[in-house]
Amino acid sequence: MFDLIAWPQDKTVSTVGEPAAVTRILPRNFEEKDAGLFEPNLRYDVPASRIWQLENITARANGWLYQGHSLLKDSFAGSRQISAMRRLKAVATRHRLPTKRISKGVWITDNWSSNYFHWLTDAIPRLHLAKEQDHDLHLILPFSFQFVPFVEQSLLPFDLRSTTFIPEDTTLTIEKLTLPAHTAATGNYNERLIRCVAQRYRQAFGSGRKPDRRIYISRSKAPVRRVLNEDEIAPVLSRHGFEVIQGESLSFSEQVRLLSECAMLAGPHGAGFVNMLFMVPGGSILEIHPRDMKTNNCYFTLASALSHPYHYMLADTVSKQVESHHDNMIVDPQELDRNLGRMCSMACGPG
């Protein structure tokens, strides 16, 4: 069938490393009544990493990759599909655009990769994997990525030979394309690779000082999952020595430097928590979730991969009509005080 969505088809594929089974321990402050929140994520089978070497791949400015008439599945996160009508329209457009040929490149993105979490935990591990195999990398990115504020600085530690953003009115034909497969299902991690990524960023932008700061990441500027009574919990945070920051106010390198000095990280579930990547192993985490049974455990699993002791807290949401993941929260100051006190008393500090 014309323009199928397909896996790459080529004789050249490298397998790097072995499959591994990851076992995660329950949160430090786990309560049996919350078993259903964490049990589905206590084990994960990490696949062996694969790197495809493909020939004559067409790449569009929107991030879609084609091999012949087939749209490659690695253009998209997970099992997401797009309609046949959109695919057919894209084919017509693709053949009307001028084509530029380049000799080689590496591709690491899908349709979620411009998001801060997915960039750092899905795309960047693919880049690190490719860099381990070939130090002379020419990275190719979709057109819009040149406007994503954290992309440029986050690429600096990889010392790339070049970075090309596909022009909006052009398609690229890459004669030899290196395509690292996704290293784990999103929200899970190849622990070796994610630790290597973390170390690379600390070496590039970290301060090198002994981590002793306590950071609360506020979502006061975010559209969802804001803590509406942050003024009420501010004295609790201050009493336990926590500084309140907003990640949006800092550059990427500033966030790395700050979190490299952090021994304890707290706040509501959100993309800012991916910054635990930059903490020295052994830092403590307290994540505040909406109080329901649909907890997104991507930071519980990330903390486990990075050897950060993990604590959690559940908070009431504001509206009964809005899905909790998109709702705002009210945090009980007394409960927060107990959880921070327990985390502080249990922490030995990263070493």
Side-chain angles (χ1 to χ4, degrees):
M1 180 181 175
F2 187 71
D3 200 40
L4 289 171
I5 297 182
W7 295 113
Q9 296 295 316
D10 196 277
K11 294 181 180 179
T12 308
V13 57
S14 302
T15 300
V16 183
E18 299 292 333
V22 172
T23 301
R24 299 155 180 148
I25 63 171
L26 289 165
R28 289 286 184 92
N29 62 337
F30 173 73
E31 296 185 23
E32 192 61 41
K33 64 181 176 61
D34 298 322
L37 297 179
F38 298 101
E39 285 179 349
N41 301 106
L42 294 181
R43 179 183 168 87
Y44 176 68
D45 293 324
V46 183
S49 299
R50 294 182 303 160
I51 301 178
W52 297 93
Q53 302 294 340
L54 306 174
E55 294 185 355
N56 295 317
I57 299 298
T58 301
R60 292 193 61 197
N62 64 359
W64 291 13
L65 293 180
Y66 291 86
Q67 187 172 37
H69 293 303
S70 295
L71 178 58
L72 295 187
K73 286 189 175 181
D74 267 58
S75 302
F76 302 94
S79 58
R80 174 173 173 169
Q81 300 289 324
I82 58 172
S83 69
M85 182 61 68
R86 281 192 68 195
R87 300 202 304 272
L88 290 171
K89 286 182 178 178
V91 169
T93 303
R94 177 163 64 101
H95 289 296
R96 288 199 301 265
L97 294 174
T99 299
K100 178 181 177 182
R101 294 186 71 87
I102 60 175
S103 60
K104 63 181 294 188
V106 61
W107 189 273
I108 63 170
T109 58
D110 59 41
N111 58 308
W112 288 354
S113 298
S114 61
N115 170 277
Y116 189 64
F117 169 82
H118 293 288
W119 174 253
L120 287 173
T121 63
D122 295 336
I124 289 295
R126 298 170 73 182
L127 180 61
H128 183 90
L129 182 65
K131 183 74 173 180
E132 288 182 333
Q133 310 305 311
D134 182 359
H135 293 289
D136 184 30
L137 291 184
H138 299 260
L139 180 64
I140 304 170
L141 291 172
F143 172 79
S144 63
F145 279 62
Q146 62 194 301
F147 308 112
V148 179
F150 48 81
V151 165
E152 182 179 3
Q153 284 193 342
S154 67
L155 291 175
L156 291 177
F158 290 89
D159 191 26
L160 300 172
R161 178 60 60 92
S162 68
T163 301
T164 298
F165 299 96
I166 303 174
E168 202 168 24
D169 58 352
T170 304
T171 62
L172 291 187
T173 296
I174 305 104
E175 294 174 3
K176 295 186 181 299
L177 180 68
T178 298
L179 181 64
H182 288 81
T183 60
T186 191
N188 293 279
Y189 313 94
N190 179 309
E191 296 194 348
R192 182 190 71 82
L193 288 175
I194 202 70
R195 289 169 182 168
C196 288
V197 167
Q199 184 178 18
R200 184 183 288 267
Y201 283 127
R202 285 196 301 272
Q203 289 176 341
F205 300 126
S207 70
R209 59 171 273 188
K210 180 178 174 62
D212 57 4
R213 298 174 75 170
R214 300 177 180 185
I215 303 296
Y216 173 91
I217 298 182
S218 171
R219 287 182 58 84
S220 59
K221 292 184 177 181
V224 297
R225 290 191 310 282
R226 287 178 287 120
V227 175
L228 297 187
N229 64 329
E230 265 187 2
D231 288 346
E232 189 178 1
I233 66 172
V236 176
L237 295 168
S238 178
R239 185 161 60 250
H240 290 283
F242 279 79
E243 309 167 51
V244 178
I245 68 144
Q246 295 165 329
E248 303 94 325
S249 302
L250 302 172
S251 70
F252 178 78
S253 60
E254 288 171 337
Q255 291 181 72
V256 178
R257 182 178 180 87
L258 175 63
L259 272 294
S260 76
E261 300 174 354
C262 179
M264 297 185 191
L265 181 67
H269 174 86
F273 259 82
V274 77
N275 287 336
M276 74 172 75
L277 265 174
F278 315 132
M279 296 169 66
V280 174
S284 295
I285 308 298
L286 174 63
E287 182 181 14
I288 303 171
H289 280 287
R291 194 188 304 276
D292 69 2
M293 295 301 289
K294 300 176 182 178
T295 300
N296 182 335
N297 280 326
C298 60
Y299 298 120
F300 163 62
T301 57
L302 182 58
S304 177
L306 298 172
S307 300
H308 297 324
Y310 177 88
H311 305 249
Y312 71 104
M313 176 178 166
L314 304 178
D316 292 327
T317 49
V318 176
S319 173
K320 302 298 183 184
Q321 287 74 43
V322 178
E323 182 185 2
S324 63
H325 188 71
H326 297 105
D327 202 355
N328 297 316
M329 294 181 283
I330 299 292
V331 171
D332 183 333
Q334 292 184 335
E335 187 176 352
L336 178 63
D337 187 42
R338 287 193 297 272
N339 278 293
L340 290 177
R342 182 174 182 182
M343 182 170 74
C344 292
S345 67
M346 295 176 70
C348 299

